Amino acid sequence: MSLREEKTEKKKKEIIHSAMQIIAEKGYYRTTIDDIASKLLITKGTVYYYFQDKQDLLFQSHQLLLQNSIENLKHIHTQPLHPREKLKNAMIAHMDHLLDDQYGFELMHKPEQFFSHQQLEIILQLHRDYTELLDQLIVIGIEDGVFQALDSKVTRNIYLGAMNWLTQWYDNKGKKEKQEILDQMAEYLLNILAK
Amino acid sequence: MSLREEKTEKKKKEIIHSAMQIIAEKGYYRTTIDDIASKLLITKGTVYYYFQDKQDLLFQSHQLLLQNSIENLKHIHTQPLHPREKLKNAMIAHMDHLLDDQYGFELMHKPEQFFSHQQLEIILQLHRDYTELLDQLIVIGIEDGVFQALDSKVTRNIYLGAMNWLTQWYDNKGKKEKQEILDQMAEYLLNILAK
Amino acid sequence: MSLREEKTEKKKKEIIHSAMQIIAEKGYYRTTIDDIASKLLITKGTVYYYFQDKQDLLFQSHQLLLQNSIENLKHIHTQPLHPREKLKNAMIAHMDHLLDDQYGFELMHKPEQFFSHQQLEIILQLHRDYTELLDQLIVIGIEDGVFQALDSKVTRNIYLGAMNWLTQWYDNKGKKEKQEILDQMAEYLLNILAK
Amino acid sequence: MSLREEKTEKKKKEIIHSAMQIIAEKGYYRTTIDDIASKLLITKGTVYYYFQDKQDLLFQSHQLLLQNSIENLKHIHTQPLHPREKLKNAMIAHMDHLLDDQYGFELMHKPEQFFSHQQLEIILQLHRDYTELLDQLIVIGIEDGVFQALDSKVTRNIYLGAMNWLTQWYDNKGKKEKQEILDQMAEYLLNILAK
DNA sequence: GATGAATGAGTGTTCATTCAT
DNA sequence: CATGAATGAACACTCATTCAT
């Protein structure tokens, strides 16, 4: 990658980051291109220089987010840990990521409303990749006899729902430490699979 | 209530129902008043005859939904059943309702973005009423020694998240019967509290 | 006039009166038929029973107002007074009327914007009748040698402008009594014609 | 001021001028943003690029008008003329301005109906500044013994009313020359203060 | 006579998008 | 590369008006 391309890439990430923050706060429809631009002290036109349109910006943001999450999961897969610990780590990483970047919740809900057909294909593939990795953690645990032999897909969906919902009720001014809550959540959820 | 008032009330409910369906499909911001009206073969003006504005329509819809859910839960409370069965029934009723009326998911996410301060007060109170009733079902089970003594609030939030997420992945053309899925979901979730 | 017609006439005047008050406060365009109706605890439909449309209501109100003013002036004409006193009385009556019924000021400004062609004819005729009567009071004074021989039309327009402007600055909570102000205004204005 | 800012300023004034003309003709409420835009062969959107909303456009127009008038009056104050001539010049300038830019009459009537609280503060202050300057011209004449010692505020209000009313009856196709009429008006009005 | 319900044309406003410079 | 200016398609909302009952 040339220096120029790197610079471009860096600028794009800046814009994506700014967009993600504002969309997380205000939601996709309430966020204007102006909001995103003015936060970075640039103009609307500049955003259009780097992205085709609002949808494209959203798409690239979402894609980046998912790719990062997948990388995370892959990394966890490679670690030499007990299946229960691996799954627990995956869940905690998921929630951690979610709370840092509250963004995206809106988009996980009916993504077909936000993306074009082509984009949707890619997004859904990434979703599948992510859930696949999650499923494997469950399946491995079952095969190892660590977990009950439940339906891995239903279980995974329960996990995703419960974890994603965290942004609704997590109170960062609450008494408990964040890590304590995430740990508790993970433990409770692991109860489902416990023998 | 006079005949005329009843008719008005009926019409309002018709509009609310139409609105709920379209908002469930397309989301609040993509739904126009025209969409809602033309589905009922009436005009925009008529919608405005019954509701102050788009927000008011949304508010009244949401309020009605929550009130119905609360009634449901209250009814379950009065039934002479084992705590485990009560909680299971409550969960199944929640999910059943959700799948019938997919609406509302979007709104549960950051309701402060959709409602005025006054409206928000009312909505949040109804939320509290609902979760309170759910919590009680958990607490009673714990006190009766049927459930583990987990944190009822965290457990309840796991339940709500997992259940609300169902609309994301439930496939009504899938192999399994709806009732079978709901039962399975409830059973898995009850695992968390199982001794 | 039959009893029924009288009742109708009375109701029309009620509506006209209500309309005049609100239009005086809020202006023609900011006043809705609903405003006028609800002040009288009747419905929009009822207003349309008595008047063809908003314009018609406005027209009839304005017409009534002008007719009353003309009657006033005619009455002053018949009184056995010194020309200066007659003119002064006419001015004070004009201002008195204006302050009671602040209405109409907006309409005197470019009436062609408010009325249909036919209506305009009638309104303008009434305007002419009124100014004619005012002019005569000036002319008589000049002929009697009481006033300077100024251009009566220009003088009359000065008088009308100065008087109609009163609603802009008259402060009914001010120190001076209303009658005192009106007297002072009239005296000052008479200075113009004074020899 | 940069070239670009100057261009922007120029464009804003163009729009203001267009708006003032149409509002003078049709009144504020009958004037649509489309009217204003299409007169300049631009689109509605462009108007909104330069002004926040219709009210803002109105406010800025009115403000400009008043500022110009105040400048005029200040200039007259500095001239080495007899008090009577100064006042006469001020009156003629006022009327001249009014006839050129018929606009604004509607707004002087109950400005609180057109402007926001903040805007109103500014507008009223400008009104006060203007009338203050007018009052001074009267007071100076009185102190110099040129005028009768009448109440300067009442006199000023008579002057303003009579002058502003001119737009109602001035007929630019009439026999008399404009300057002749304005001179006559001023002379008649000065009669009031004449000893 | 009176009303509640319904209408639809009109208008202000927003905002993603384009493009010449 | 970046920007300011301009656009126009949408959309929420208002309100005079109509009409069946």
Side-chain angles (χ1 to χ4, degrees):
Chain A
M1 196 186 286
S2 75
L3 189 65
R4 169 157 290 170
E5 278 170 335
E6 256 180 54
K7 253 187 140 180
T8 293
E9 216 47 43
K10 202 180 146 203
K11 191 94 188 191
K12 280 182 78 165
K13 284 204 176 147
E14 255 179 45
I15 296 173
I16 283 179
H17 198 68
S18 175
M20 275 169 39
Q21 279 189 299
I22 305 184
I23 292 177
E25 268 173 51
K26 311 182 33 171
Y28 181 66
Y29 282 97
R30 272 173 302 267
T31 299
T32 69
I33 301 283
D34 256 332
D35 289 338
I36 294 164
S38 61
K39 183 165 185 175
L40 291 171
L41 303 177
I42 59 177
T43 60
K44 261 200 288 218
T46 307
V47 175
Y48 277 90
Y49 181 77
Y50 290 99
F51 298 91
Q52 279 178 32
D53 52 27
K54 196 182 174 188
Q55 209 183 40
D56 181 43
L57 171 55
L58 184 77
F59 169 66
Q60 294 201 34
S61 308
H62 204 51
Q63 197 181 19
L64 192 66
L65 210 73
L66 285 168
Q67 281 166 347
N68 286 341
S69 300
I70 289 169
E71 283 317 303
N72 269 343
L73 258 193
K74 280 189 179 160
H75 182 246
I76 288 172
H77 263 271
T78 65
Q79 287 176 327
L81 288 170
H82 186 266
R84 194 179 185 281
E85 287 314 299
K86 276 193 186 175
L87 182 52
K88 186 171 173 182
N89 283 353
M91 292 198 280
I92 287 175
H94 182 106
M95 292 186 280
D96 224 355
H97 197 209
L98 209 61
L99 291 183
D100 282 351
D101 249 319
Q102 295 230 347
Y103 166 90
F105 186 76
E106 190 185 3
L107 302 178
M108 292 181 202
H109 178 59
K110 309 230 167 176
E112 65 276 14
Q113 292 174 355
F114 293 95
F115 301 114
S116 74
H117 185 66
Q118 268 194 10
Q119 291 170 342
L120 195 59
E121 289 293 302
I122 295 168
I123 293 296
L124 291 182
Q125 184 57 50
L126 290 169
H127 276 188
R128 277 192 295 271
D129 291 351
Y130 186 76
T131 53
E132 181 67 24
L133 287 166
L134 209 54
D135 284 356
Q136 283 170 21
L137 289 178
I138 295 173
V139 169
I140 289 169
I142 293 175
E143 288 171 352
D144 282 9
V146 178
F147 298 144
Q148 274 192 70
L150 299 186
D151 182 320
S152 65
K153 301 204 179 344
V154 172
T155 310
R156 171 249 293 161
N157 281 320
I158 285 177
Y159 284 2
L160 282 175
M163 293 191 298
N164 291 338
W165 191 248
L166 183 61
T167 56
Q168 302 301 301
W169 58 275
Y170 175 73
D171 173 13
N172 54 13
K173 288 173 216 106
K175 289 170 270 183
K176 291 190 195 166
E177 279 303 306
K178 182 174 158 191
Q179 285 314 318
E180 195 182 345
I181 298 248
L182 300 194
D183 193 85
Q184 190 180 24
M185 281 282 293
E187 286 294 338
Y188 281 25
L189 287 170
L190 283 169
N191 272 358
I192 293 175
L193 285 167
K195 279 195 153 171
Chain B
M1 197 186 283
S2 75
L3 189 66
R4 184 151 261 169
E5 278 170 333
E6 257 178 52
K7 257 185 144 176
T8 293
E9 216 48 42
K10 205 181 142 199
K11 190 94 190 196
K12 280 185 80 165
K13 283 197 177 152
E14 257 181 61
I15 296 173
I16 283 180
H17 199 69
S18 174
M20 275 168 40
Q21 279 188 298
I22 305 182
I23 292 177
E25 271 172 51
K26 310 181 36 170
Y28 182 66
Y29 283 99
R30 267 174 306 268
T31 300
T32 69
I33 301 285
D34 257 332
D35 288 339
I36 295 164
S38 59
K39 181 164 185 176
L40 291 171
L41 302 177
I42 59 177
T43 62
K44 248 199 302 216
T46 304
V47 176
Y48 278 95
Y49 181 75
Y50 289 97
F51 298 91
Q52 282 178 31
D53 52 28
K54 196 181 173 186
Q55 209 185 41
D56 181 43
L57 173 54
L58 185 76
F59 169 66
Q60 293 202 33
S61 306
H62 205 51
Q63 197 182 19
L64 192 65
L65 212 73
L66 286 168
Q67 282 165 345
N68 286 342
S69 301
I70 289 171
E71 282 317 303
N72 271 344
L73 258 192
K74 278 189 179 159
H75 181 246
I76 289 171
H77 262 270
T78 62
Q79 287 177 326
L81 289 170
H82 185 266
R84 192 176 187 285
E85 289 313 298
K86 275 194 187 176
L87 182 51
K88 186 171 173 183
N89 283 353
M91 293 199 280
I92 289 175
H94 182 105
M95 293 186 280
D96 224 355
H97 196 207
L98 211 60
L99 291 183
D100 282 351
D101 255 318
Q102 295 229 346
Y103 166 90
F105 189 75
E106 188 186 5
L107 302 178
M108 293 180 200
H109 179 59
K110 309 225 168 177
E112 65 276 14
Q113 291 176 354
F114 294 95
F115 300 114
S116 74
H117 185 66
Q118 265 196 10
Q119 291 170 343
L120 196 58
E121 288 292 301
I122 295 168
I123 292 296
L124 291 182
Q125 185 55 51
L126 290 169
H127 277 187
R128 279 192 293 271
D129 290 350
Y130 187 75
T131 53
E132 180 67 25
L133 287 166
L134 210 54
D135 284 357
Q136 282 170 21
L137 289 179
I138 295 173
V139 169
I140 288 169
I142 294 175
E143 287 171 353
D144 282 11
V146 178
F147 298 145
Q148 273 193 71
L150 300 186
D151 183 320
S152 65
K153 299 201 180 347
V154 173
T155 310
R156 170 248 293 163
N157 281 320
I158 286 177
Y159 285 2
L160 281 176
M163 293 190 297
N164 291 338
W165 192 249
L166 182 60
T167 57
Q168 302 300 303
W169 59 274
Y170 175 74
D171 174 11
N172 53 14
K173 290 176 213 104
K175 289 171 271 181
K176 291 190 194 167
E177 278 303 305
K178 183 173 157 191
Q179 285 313 318
E180 195 183 345
I181 299 247
L182 301 193
D183 192 86
Q184 189 181 24
M185 282 282 294
E187 286 295 336
Y188 281 26
L189 288 170
L190 282 169
N191 273 358
I192 295 175
L193 285 166
K195 280 197 152 169
Chain C
M1 197 186 282
S2 73
L3 189 66
R4 167 158 291 169
E5 278 169 334
E6 256 180 54
K7 253 186 139 180
T8 294
E9 217 46 43
K10 205 181 145 202
K11 191 94 189 192
K12 281 182 77 165
K13 283 201 176 148
E14 255 179 43
I15 295 174
I16 283 178
H17 198 70
S18 174
M20 276 167 42
Q21 280 189 297
I22 304 184
I23 293 177
E25 271 172 49
K26 313 182 30 169
Y28 181 65
Y29 281 98
R30 271 175 301 269
T31 300
T32 68
I33 302 283
D34 256 332
D35 288 340
I36 295 164
S38 61
K39 183 165 184 175
L40 292 170
L41 302 177
I42 58 177
T43 61
K44 262 202 283 221
T46 307
V47 175
Y48 277 90
Y49 182 78
Y50 289 99
F51 298 91
Q52 279 176 34
D53 52 28
K54 196 182 174 186
Q55 209 184 40
D56 181 43
L57 171 56
L58 185 76
F59 169 66
Q60 293 201 34
S61 307
H62 205 51
Q63 196 181 20
L64 190 66
L65 211 72
L66 285 169
Q67 281 167 345
N68 285 342
S69 300
I70 288 171
E71 282 317 302
N72 269 344
L73 257 192
K74 278 189 179 160
H75 181 244
I76 288 172
H77 262 271
T78 63
Q79 285 177 329
L81 289 169
H82 186 265
R84 193 179 186 284
E85 288 312 300
K86 277 194 187 174
L87 183 52
K88 185 170 173 182
N89 283 353
M91 292 200 281
I92 288 176
H94 182 105
M95 291 187 282
D96 224 356
H97 196 207
L98 211 60
L99 292 183
D100 283 351
D101 250 320
Q102 293 227 349
Y103 166 90
F105 187 78
E106 189 186 3
L107 302 178
M108 292 180 201
H109 178 59
K110 309 229 165 175
E112 66 276 13
Q113 291 175 354
F114 293 95
F115 301 114
S116 73
H117 184 66
Q118 268 196 8
Q119 291 170 342
L120 196 59
E121 288 294 300
I122 295 169
I123 292 295
L124 291 181
Q125 185 55 49
L126 289 169
H127 276 190
R128 278 193 294 272
D129 291 350
Y130 187 76
T131 55
E132 180 66 24
L133 287 166
L134 209 55
D135 284 357
Q136 282 172 21
L137 288 179
I138 295 173
V139 169
I140 288 168
I142 294 175
E143 286 171 353
D144 282 11
V146 178
F147 298 145
Q148 275 191 72
L150 300 185
D151 181 322
S152 65
K153 300 204 180 341
V154 173
T155 312
R156 170 248 295 163
N157 279 321
I158 286 176
Y159 284 3
L160 281 175
M163 293 191 298
N164 291 338
W165 192 248
L166 183 59
T167 56
Q168 301 302 301
W169 58 276
Y170 175 74
D171 173 12
N172 55 13
K173 289 174 215 105
K175 288 170 271 183
K176 291 191 195 167
E177 279 301 306
K178 183 173 158 189
Q179 284 312 319
E180 196 183 344
I181 299 247
L182 300 193
D183 193 86
Q184 190 181 22
M185 282 282 294
E187 285 295 338
Y188 282 25
L189 287 170
L190 282 169
N191 272 359
I192 293 175
L193 285 166
K195 280 197 150 166
Chain D
M1 198 186 286
S2 74
L3 189 67
R4 183 149 263 172
E5 277 169 335
E6 257 178 53
K7 257 186 145 178
T8 294
E9 217 47 43
K10 206 181 143 201
K11 189 94 191 194
K12 279 185 80 166
K13 282 199 179 149
E14 258 181 59
I15 295 173
I16 283 179
H17 199 69
S18 174
M20 275 168 41
Q21 280 188 297
I22 304 183
I23 292 177
E25 270 172 51
K26 311 181 35 168
Y28 181 65
Y29 284 100
R30 266 174 306 269
T31 300
T32 68
I33 302 283
D34 257 331
D35 288 339
I36 294 164
S38 58
K39 181 166 185 175
L40 291 171
L41 301 177
I42 58 177
T43 61
K44 252 197 299 214
T46 306
V47 175
Y48 277 92
Y49 181 75
Y50 289 97
F51 298 91
Q52 280 177 31
D53 52 26
K54 198 181 172 187
Q55 208 184 42
D56 181 43
L57 173 54
L58 185 76
F59 169 67
Q60 293 202 35
S61 307
H62 204 52
Q63 197 182 17
L64 192 65
L65 211 74
L66 285 168
Q67 282 166 344
N68 286 342
S69 301
I70 288 171
E71 282 318 302
N72 271 344
L73 256 191
K74 279 189 178 159
H75 181 245
I76 288 172
H77 263 270
T78 64
Q79 287 178 327
L81 290 169
H82 187 266
R84 194 180 185 283
E85 289 312 300
K86 276 194 188 175
L87 184 52
K88 187 171 172 181
N89 283 353
M91 291 200 280
I92 288 175
H94 182 105
M95 291 186 283
D96 226 355
H97 198 207
L98 211 59
L99 292 183
D100 282 352
D101 254 319
Q102 293 230 348
Y103 166 90
F105 186 76
E106 188 186 4
L107 301 179
M108 293 180 201
H109 177 60
K110 308 227 167 175
E112 65 276 12
Q113 290 176 354
F114 293 96
F115 301 114
S116 74
H117 184 66
Q118 265 197 10
Q119 291 171 341
L120 196 59
E121 289 291 302
I122 295 168
I123 292 296
L124 291 182
Q125 185 55 49
L126 290 169
H127 276 189
R128 279 191 294 270
D129 290 349
Y130 186 75
T131 55
E132 181 67 24
L133 287 166
L134 209 55
D135 285 356
Q136 283 171 18
L137 289 178
I138 295 172
V139 168
I140 288 168
I142 293 174
E143 286 171 352
D144 283 10
V146 178
F147 298 144
Q148 273 192 72
L150 300 186
D151 182 320
S152 66
K153 299 201 180 346
V154 173
T155 311
R156 170 249 293 164
N157 280 321
I158 285 176
Y159 285 1
L160 282 175
M163 294 191 298
N164 290 339
W165 192 248
L166 183 59
T167 55
Q168 302 301 302
W169 57 275
Y170 174 73
D171 174 11
N172 55 13
K173 290 173 214 107
K175 290 170 270 185
K176 292 189 193 167
E177 279 301 306
K178 181 173 158 190
Q179 285 312 320
E180 194 183 344
I181 298 248
L182 301 193
D183 193 270
Q184 189 180 23
M185 282 281 295
E187 285 295 338
Y188 281 25
L189 287 171
L190 282 168
N191 272 359
I192 293 175
L193 285 166
K195 279 198 153 164

